[in-house]
Amino acid sequence: MSWDRQITIKTPQELELMRRAGEINAEALQAAADAAVPGASTMDLNEAAESVLKKYGVKSPFIGVMGAYPYPASTNVSINEELVHGIPSKRRKLAEGDIVSIDCGTIFEGFVADSAITVPVGEVSEQVKKLLEVTEQALYVGIEQMVVGNRVGDISAAIQRFVEDNGFCVVREYTGHGVGRSMHEGPAVPNYGQPGRGMLLRPGMTIALEPMVLIDSPETRVLADQWTVVSRNGLPTAHFEHTVAVTEQGPRILTQLKDGRNPKRKV
Ligand code: MG
Ligand code: MG
């Protein structure tokens, strides 16, 4: 990876811009979550998120990200076994019992926020409920480690231990990442690792932490569209993400709603 060595330290003013970006991003995720009803298409969720970005006159950094070809949408919308990078489509519809991950980014005054949630569509099985809870909690277990003086490995190891202690697996091929003027900066923050290893955390670092959790096996593959990542065993997967700043006062989540809540499916 070319981006993983480029670390940028943000000033308090820059963190404030990232927080504004994050607030808009959370509102976009909430709009997409509200649209996640049986029969809705993954494009409907993308459009719900985009309408929030449009309202604030901002864009998503996802558009045009280079892979095999430029990424064509503002969000990733990934259903069930789709772990990340699902491309929104009018033909792909949600059904009762599905889970859907929505990942969105916002650029506000040159700074990027990146966050994701996975929400149930109606009633889901007990195992899937647990998958969602464990993945979301793993994000906060990781955030707790984002304190000055800790190392990247402390975050990674805490996420891995929590997920594996709960009987699930963490992805190997995809990582969290630094974020700032670019969506992907250093350091890469894997969801597995060893405590005390890796880069030292310093005030002003901002990291998009994103546990990606699978059932029975961590193996993934990429579909023929060359973007969508799925579990190799076809079992459901979950993904939660926040953009978080390391500060002298402790970790500060930058991607919450104006009232300090996390975007969530209202039931
Ligand atoms: Mg993301
Ligand atoms: Mg990310």
Side-chain angles (χ1 to χ4, degrees):
M1 283 172 282
S2 56
W3 49 263
D4 63 356
R5 295 194 172 274
Q6 185 202 339
I7 316 292
T8 62
I9 297 297
K10 283 79 178 181
T11 65
Q13 292 76 14
E14 290 171 337
L15 288 185
E16 179 54 22
L17 294 176
M18 289 185 69
R19 191 195 61 77
R20 301 266 301 274
E23 208 171 86
I24 295 169
N25 211 54
E27 193 177 326
L29 287 183
Q30 183 63 61
D34 291 344
V37 295
S41 73
T42 54
M43 183 59 87
D44 291 336
L45 275 58
N46 180 72
E47 283 171 359
E50 261 182 356
S51 69
V52 172
L53 302 189
K54 223 169 266 168
K55 182 174 91 177
Y56 291 98
V58 297
K59 285 206 157 58
S60 167
F62 289 21
I63 300 171
V65 166
M66 270 317 290
Y69 54 92
Y71 190 76
S74 296
T75 65
N76 305 138
V77 184
S78 312
I79 302 176
N80 296 340
E81 77 282 4
E82 298 170 356
L83 176 66
V84 286
H85 305 167
I87 302 173
S89 150
K90 280 197 165 65
R91 293 184 307 277
R92 191 75 202 282
K93 301 273 169 66
L94 295 174
E96 173 85 21
D98 282 346
I99 52 173
V100 60
S101 146
I102 309 136
D103 192 346
C104 188
T106 294
I107 312 168
F108 179 81
E109 303 205 356
F111 283 88
V112 173
D114 181 12
S115 56
I117 54 174
T118 305
V119 298
V121 181
E123 271 304 303
V124 298
S125 73
E126 283 307 313
Q127 188 191 32
V128 167
K129 238 179 246 174
K130 186 179 174 197
L131 174 72
L132 294 181
E133 282 167 14
V134 167
T135 310
E136 184 170 19
Q137 283 175 38
L139 173 58
Y140 296 98
V141 164
I143 290 171
E144 262 175 41
Q145 296 297 318
M146 286 186 58
V147 293
V148 176
N150 265 4
R151 291 181 181 273
V152 164
D154 295 309
I155 306 171
S156 302
I159 291 174
Q160 178 179 21
R161 193 179 326 118
F162 181 79
V163 169
E164 291 181 354
D165 283 354
N166 278 286
F168 295 113
C169 308
V170 288
V171 78
R172 298 302 197 273
E173 297 95 336
Y174 305 91
T175 70
H177 50 91
V179 55
R181 286 192 183 274
S182 303
M183 181 161 64
H184 292 125
E185 300 181 348
V189 184
N191 291 306
Y192 66 97
Q194 290 181 20
R197 297 282 183 86
M199 188 179 295
L200 201 57
L201 301 179
R202 289 182 287 152
M205 283 173 73
T206 42
I207 290 170
L209 207 57
E210 45 185 319
M212 294 164 240
V213 176
L214 302 96
I215 299 172
D216 290 349
S217 159
E219 284 186 46
T220 63
R221 65 188 177 92
V222 179
L223 295 186
D225 68 14
Q226 299 184 80
W227 276 104
T228 311
V229 177
V230 298
S231 60
R232 208 169 255 282
N233 60 17
L235 295 176
T237 63
H239 176 214
F240 282 83
E241 178 180 30
H242 268 311
T243 294
V244 185
V246 177
T247 79
E248 296 285 8
Q249 293 76 41
R252 182 172 169 217
I253 300 173
L254 302 174
T255 39
Q256 285 172 323
L257 294 163
K258 199 167 268 172
D259 61 7
R261 283 183 311 115
N262 293 308
K264 254 205 160 45
R265 177 95 188 102
K266 296 182 191 99
V267 275

